[in-house]
Amino acid sequence: MEQSERRRPGRPSLSNEELLDKALDLFLEKGFAGTSIDAICASAGMAKRTVYARYGDKENLFKAALSRAIDEWIVPVESLREQESEDLEASLMRIGEILVQNVLNPAGLRLLRLTNAEAVAMPEIAQENVRRGTEPTLRYLADLFRRRLGGGGGNFARAEDAAQAFLSIVVSGPANNAAWGMRMDMVSIGQHTRYCVRLFLHGLLEDAAAPAKDEAGQLRLLLREAEERLGEARMRMDEAVRLVRD
């Protein structure tokens, strides 16, 4: 019998991305310490020698899987910049919605939970998450506030503080709630995001003040109510599209 006839066909080799995805799922389910290379190889249908040849050890594989998760999670600054318009409040509404939805999607929640679980033992993974994901967003927001609130010279001394406050008020709350298993529907998330953006821009005292009785004040209130309804309608449409796709 010829050599070609004696050779058994091998299993199709998983791509590196598929291997990292399967590894990440196991790390999230069982934790870094509770996940073995054997379990990863069994899940991926891949020989141990292949995994060791690519990554050397479990820690390097974990960090590579986490790096891939960060790549999938990051919102490019260009995508945020595209949301800008002459209306700063409307711009921040759209930017806030993108950031909140991004951190609450399955990839974002997986990264958040895994980072929170392993950051004590490996603080460098949290630092990498901040360096590649959070810091570019903070720099963009600070630049936005300088351009829009700093006058002609772009001189807004508290731009970095404002950027940090925006992320803390608008994004961190829903992210922390989700990490602890608290669920919000898409409409509630949209309402919460819009309220937090207005709270950030105008403050609690202005928000609690009596409605303006002049014509301009009434017009602002009507526009705000219309924005709320449009935002809720957009959220419902997005949720309907997601359900259809699933």
Side-chain angles (χ1 to χ4, degrees), residues 20-219:
L20 295 178
D21 282 341
K22 290 183 177 296
L24 199 66
D25 287 338
L26 282 175
F27 284 129
L28 179 60
E29 179 185 352
K30 301 179 180 298
F32 177 78
T35 302
S36 67
I37 289 288
D38 286 336
I40 293 170
C41 292
S43 176
M46 185 175 288
K48 287 173 64 174
R49 64 178 179 274
T50 303
V51 175
Y52 280 119
R54 291 182 183 181
Y55 295 104
D57 58 28
K58 185 173 75 168
E59 183 171 335
N60 283 334
L61 175 59
F62 174 72
K63 290 179 178 178
L66 200 67
S67 179
R68 170 169 165 74
I70 293 173
D71 288 338
E72 291 183 336
W73 167 70
I74 290 171
V75 177
V77 167
E78 293 76 14
S79 297
L80 300 178
R81 202 180 303 278
E82 289 172 358
Q83 309 309 311
E84 293 185 29
S85 68
E86 293 299 318
D87 187 330
L88 178 60
E89 182 170 323
S91 301
L92 291 176
M93 290 287 186
R94 290 189 291 270
I95 290 168
E97 287 174 352
I98 287 174
L99 293 174
V100 170
Q101 290 177 22
N102 184 61
V103 80
L104 295 183
N105 70 27
L109 286 176
R110 182 173 69 169
L111 176 63
L112 179 65
R113 289 168 178 159
L114 191 56
T115 302
N116 287 347
E118 304 297 342
V120 174
M122 285 184 274
E124 64 272 19
I125 67 172
Q127 294 165 3
E128 181 73 357
N129 195 345
V130 169
R131 183 185 69 81
R132 294 175 53 197
T134 306
E135 288 182 355
T137 303
L138 285 171
R139 286 195 295 270
Y140 161 73
L141 289 169
D143 174 70
L144 172 61
F145 295 139
R146 287 192 191 94
R147 287 186 281 113
R148 303 301 291 273
L149 302 175
N155 184 21
F156 182 52
R158 305 300 296 273
E160 286 83 5
D161 289 338
Q164 186 66 64
F166 181 86
L167 285 189
S168 297
I169 293 171
V170 177
V171 182
S172 294
N176 290 334
N177 289 344
W180 287 100
M182 297 175 61
R183 290 288 186 179
M184 293 175 66
D185 61 75
M186 295 301 295
V187 173
S188 298
I189 291 169
Q191 292 172 338
H192 177 81
T193 301
R194 290 188 292 277
Y195 175 77
C196 288
V197 169
R198 291 195 180 101
L199 181 63
F200 167 79
L201 271 182
H202 306 297
L204 189 61
L205 291 178
E206 180 179 327
D207 189 63
K213 296 183 179 180
D214 61 299
E215 185 176 346
Q218 291 176 358
L219 180 59

Side-chain angles (χ1 to χ4, degrees), residues 87 89-90 93 194 198 202 215-232:
D87 187 330
E89 182 170 323
M93 290 287 186
R194 290 188 292 277
R198 291 195 180 101
H202 306 297
E215 185 176 346
Q218 291 176 358
L219 180 59
R220 285 194 295 271
L221 288 176
L222 289 173
L223 288 172
R224 179 178 297 185
E225 290 174 0
E227 288 175 357
E228 288 283 352
R229 293 191 180 98
L230 285 172
E232 290 179 11

